Amino acid sequence: MTMKLKVRATVIVFFVLALSVFYLAVSKFPLLYERTYRLSDVQVPGRRKVDGFDSPHVFTFRKRLNKSNYSSDNNISLEGENVRHEEERNETDLNAAEEKNGNGNNFPMKYESRNKYRRTNTENSVTNYTDPLVDKLVHFLQKSNGIKFNFDTALETSYSTFLRQLRKRGRRRGSSLPIFRTYNGGSHMSNWEKFQKGIHQYGLYLPEEPAIEDLMKDMTREPIVDIEQKEGGTQLKLIITYSDEGQALFKPMRYAREQETLPDHFYFVDFERHNAEIAAFHLDKILGFYRVPPTIGREVNLTSEIKRLADTKLRKTFFVSPAGNVCFHGSCSYYCDTSHAVCGHPVIIEGSFATFLPPDRIAPRKTWRNPWKRSYSKHRKAYWEVYDDLCSQVIEKPPYNTGRRLLDVIDTHIFDFLTGNMDRHHYETFNDFGNNTFLLHLDNGRGFGKANHDEMSILAPVYQCCLIRYSTFLKMTKLYLGPDKLSDLMRESMSSDSINPVLTDSHLNALDRRIAKIIRVIHDCIEQSPYTDVIVDDFF
């Protein structure tokens, strides 16, 4: 009997304990749930920190690159606010719009007349691109102000002469970097030193500077003496040191020139193209921006020039493929494994070499968030992709409310539209020049991926602000009218590169087609506003 009582007592005790545990679990569960999923406390699976803050977007490849390569935490470059605040506002606006419209991917636009610029299009490549509305605009501007828009005279002038005359009206060199103002390397100064010394407030170099051509020749033929893999980023990049102590960033060939970006691939998962980096330099020079560091193509031997100089960690990633080609993949966040290896034929591979800017310790640079940055999410769009009123917010905040900055951003997007680059999430400026300076056009490898597709959304700052710099508009119009076409100028400029042809004919023809579409956007803006408000002359 006593044994039965003990058993019963034990069962009752366990039962009471079980109820107590259950009660505690139920009563504490809401707190536990909140603690687990509060974004400010933990980083839940599928999220990455960007600029030190949790991102509200789902995981994407480019988030890791943003963290490793960029450090600015400005909200539209407004001091005192951070990235997370901007992203959370975007997310809230998008969610509200989805609830109101019932479809997060198809929002009505505020300005119906600009709707057509949100749609992209595909066309077959042709060699002659004209638009009657562009012709009408050219005629209207010349009739309205034949002095400022003297297109008849421009037609009789070569593009190089036209560009030279355009530079004279606003000719300025500006101050150089402080570190180089008193530096004198003497007669033995190397070409890369001359390039860095020549960087000034309004451009990386002057077009007539002979050291630029000499520097590009040096990068093509100087012996490589050291190799180091660049940290950060999603893709493989190497830091190359030459025998004259100059340095360049090497991006190896991933794609054949004829291989287009797959239609189902997001822009942020595409491989960077070495030939896009080279072509971007030549395009930047032709447009008279001078904001892309000198970049050349070169063939290297993976065995004698790369593996021999690599450290142990990088050397271990080399192997011979089943086809007998020497390959390596390095170490990075993504695309650095055997299935994404870089391979020679059998040991030779070509790549782009972009000369280094001065080290950050002597020429510090500030990183700014591009106001028209994309969301880098498979499921959400950025604010500007949904609404047309971002520009009215941007122009009220520094540094966009004064000076040249907004027009420089518009220049950058025109440049990116010509290359097809959708990946302009940040940009940089030199600290020593303050806000009255140019934007660096870096990381152009995701351009020239789709020859028959024109991504009109890249021009969002143009058609949302309805602004374009006077000198940029004249360049676009001159290239549209001819007789020198942009495709021909690019062909001639890139002909001296050691891996020429850099671009296929279809990509070169696309440049001419896109010139006409840029001016067409300006035509539609002028239909709504006086041309004096749309085409702004700031003498740059």
Side-chain angles (χ1 to χ4, degrees):
M1 188 67 178
T2 306
M3 179 63 69
K4 289 184 177 180
L5 289 174
K6 289 182 177 180
V7 171
R8 288 179 181 177
T10 303
V11 171
I12 291 171
V13 170
F14 275 110
F15 182 75
V16 172
L17 287 174
L19 284 176
S20 300
V21 172
F22 178 77
Y23 172 77
L24 289 172
V26 170
S27 62
K28 297 300 182 181
F29 180 77
L31 293 177
L32 179 64
Y33 182 88
E34 182 183 16
R35 178 66 181 174
T36 304
Y37 290 91
R38 187 185 297 145
L39 300 183
S40 60
D41 291 336
V42 298
Q43 192 170 340
V44 298
R47 297 175 60 86
R48 293 292 184 271
K49 285 197 172 183
V50 184
D51 294 336
F53 298 98
D54 280 322
S55 166
H57 298 312
V58 297
F59 165 77
T60 59
F61 293 123
R62 197 63 176 179
K63 291 295 185 184
R64 182 72 63 86
L65 187 146
N66 288 349
K67 177 180 177 183
S68 59
N69 282 7
Y70 298 96
S71 58
S72 175
D73 59 357
N74 296 307
N75 168 31
I76 315 182
S77 299
L78 178 63
E79 301 299 336
E81 289 200 57
N82 56 50
V83 174
R84 186 178 64 172
H85 295 162
E86 178 191 12
E87 300 257 7
E88 288 176 347
R89 282 199 302 273
N90 290 350
E91 196 80 14
T92 302
D93 292 337
L94 289 168
N95 291 337
E98 286 181 349
E99 293 175 3
K100 181 178 179 181
N101 295 283
N103 184 351
N105 294 321
N106 185 19
F107 301 102
M109 300 301 169
K110 287 190 174 182
Y111 306 105
E112 293 299 327
S113 63
R114 299 181 193 176
N115 247 355
K116 52 183 165 292
Y117 298 127
R118 301 205 176 280
R119 297 193 293 269
T120 59
N121 58 79
T122 302
E123 294 179 313
N124 294 325
S125 294
V126 292
T127 57
N128 184 28
Y129 301 100
T130 58
D131 186 324
L133 292 179
V134 172
D135 295 336
K136 177 183 175 182
L137 174 62
V138 170
H139 176 74
F140 164 76
L141 290 174
Q142 178 151 319
K143 185 178 179 181
S144 301
N145 192 335
I147 297 176
K148 200 167 187 177
F149 301 100
N150 190 354
F151 298 123
D152 287 340
T153 301
L155 271 170
E156 302 170 357
T157 308
S158 68
Y159 182 78
S160 58
T161 302
F162 167 83
L163 194 63
R164 193 161 50 250
Q165 292 173 346
L166 194 60
R167 287 188 65 247
K168 285 181 178 179
R169 63 181 297 275
R171 191 177 184 88
R172 54 175 65 82
R173 180 187 176 98
S175 58
S176 59
L177 291 168
I179 190 68
F180 291 106
R181 288 172 191 168
T182 58
Y183 173 74
N184 185 5
S187 58
H188 299 292
M189 187 185 299
S190 63
N191 289 314
W192 68 267
E193 286 179 297
K194 293 177 183 177
F195 160 67
Q196 293 185 359
K197 183 176 173 61
I199 295 173
H200 57 95
Q201 187 173 357
Y202 304 116
L204 285 176
Y205 58 92
L206 295 172
E208 62 272 13
E209 175 57 60
I212 300 302
E213 289 296 325
D214 294 337
L215 171 62
M216 295 173 70
K217 293 176 182 178
D218 289 345
M219 287 196 292
T220 303
R221 62 195 179 196
E222 280 290 322
I224 298 172
V225 297
D226 187 57
I227 298 289
E228 178 185 353
Q229 183 172 346
K230 186 180 185 299
E231 296 181 356
T234 62
Q235 302 188 27
L236 176 66
K237 299 180 285 289
L238 300 180
I239 298 173
I240 303 295
T241 303
Y242 295 102
S243 58
D244 63 353
E245 298 183 358
Q247 288 187 312
L249 185 66
F250 170 64
K251 292 186 179 182
M253 177 178 179
R254 288 283 193 176
Y255 285 138
R257 288 155 177 71
E258 298 78 15
Q259 185 172 341
E260 299 248 324
T261 299
L262 297 177
D264 290 327
H265 275 196
F266 288 99
Y267 49 87
F268 49 81
V269 299
D270 192 25
F271 275 128
E272 295 185 17
R273 298 170 183 268
H274 73 298
N275 61 317
E277 296 282 2
I278 301 165
F281 165 71
H282 290 271
L283 177 62
D284 172 85
K285 182 175 65 173
I286 289 171
L287 295 179
F289 291 152
Y290 315 116
R291 302 168 191 172
V292 176
T295 307
I296 58 96
R298 173 172 173 170
E299 291 185 340
V300 295
N301 187 305
L302 287 178
T303 301
S304 62
E305 292 184 281
I306 304 296
K307 183 179 180 180
R308 180 178 63 87
L309 300 170
D311 59 22
T312 303
K313 183 179 179 180
L314 180 59
R315 195 180 303 118
K316 285 182 178 179
T317 69
F318 279 77
F319 62 94
V320 177
S321 72
N325 296 323
V326 175
C327 307
F328 76 111
H329 54 75
S331 302
C332 62
S333 304
Y334 303 96
Y335 307 128
C336 283
D337 52 48
T338 307
S339 61
H340 298 99
V342 174
C343 297
H345 299 282
V347 296
I348 302 298
I349 190 171
E350 64 183 41
S352 65
F353 290 71
T355 189
F356 264 32
L357 298 173
D360 192 67
R361 66 181 182 275
I362 65 172
R365 295 182 291 278
K366 182 174 178 60
T367 302
W368 307 78
R369 289 174 60 84
N370 182 1
W372 282 269
K373 173 187 175 182
R374 298 176 187 273
S375 68
Y376 292 85
S377 166
K378 298 184 285 289
H379 309 293
R380 291 284 184 258
K381 293 185 178 181
Y383 181 88
W384 64 267
E385 294 179 278
V386 180
Y387 302 107
D388 273 340
D389 63 347
L390 177 63
C391 189
S392 62
Q393 302 175 37
V394 171
I395 60 178
E396 295 177 355
K397 301 175 182 179
Y400 303 100
N401 56 347
T402 59
R404 59 177 289 183
R405 182 64 62 88
L406 181 58
L407 289 173
D408 279 343
V409 169
I410 290 173
D411 275 352
T412 300
H413 278 260
I414 288 174
F415 175 77
D416 285 339
F417 174 70
L418 290 171
T419 68
N421 178 23
M422 301 170 66
D423 195 34
R424 188 71 62 184
H425 43 82
H426 290 74
Y427 63 85
E428 295 183 21
T429 59
F430 286 100
N431 284 358
D432 292 318
F433 299 141
N435 288 331
N436 188 24
T437 187
F438 64 99
L439 315 183
L440 287 163
H441 291 174
L442 306 176
D443 292 333
N444 304 293
R446 286 200 167 109
F448 297 105
K450 296 181 179 180
N452 298 318
H453 175 84
D454 303 325
E455 185 54 59
M456 299 301 293
S457 66
I458 301 175
L459 290 177
V462 183
Y463 58 72
Q464 289 184 352
C465 297
C466 268
L467 281 176
I468 189 172
R469 178 172 273 141
Y470 170 69
S471 60
T472 302
F473 177 77
L474 289 186
K475 294 170 191 174
M476 298 297 109
T477 308
K478 170 61 178 171
L479 292 169
Y480 173 80
L481 295 174
D484 300 315
K485 296 294 185 182
L486 182 55
S487 56
D488 295 330
L489 294 170
M490 284 286 286
R491 228 181 245 107
E492 180 182 359
S493 181
M494 296 185 296
S495 63
S496 60
D497 195 274
S498 63
I499 63 169
N500 189 60
V502 177
L503 294 177
T504 62
D505 286 341
S506 58
H507 280 293
L508 291 168
N509 290 335
L511 292 171
D512 296 333
R513 183 178 70 240
R514 291 165 186 165
I515 286 287
K517 292 189 175 182
I518 293 168
I519 307 175
R520 173 65 183 271
V521 172
I522 301 304
H523 165 273
D524 291 353
C525 282
I526 290 177
E527 279 194 329
Q528 304 173 43
S529 306
Y531 76 88
T532 51
D533 293 341
V534 177
I535 305 173
V536 177
D537 189 0
D538 64 345
F539 296 94
F540 283 102

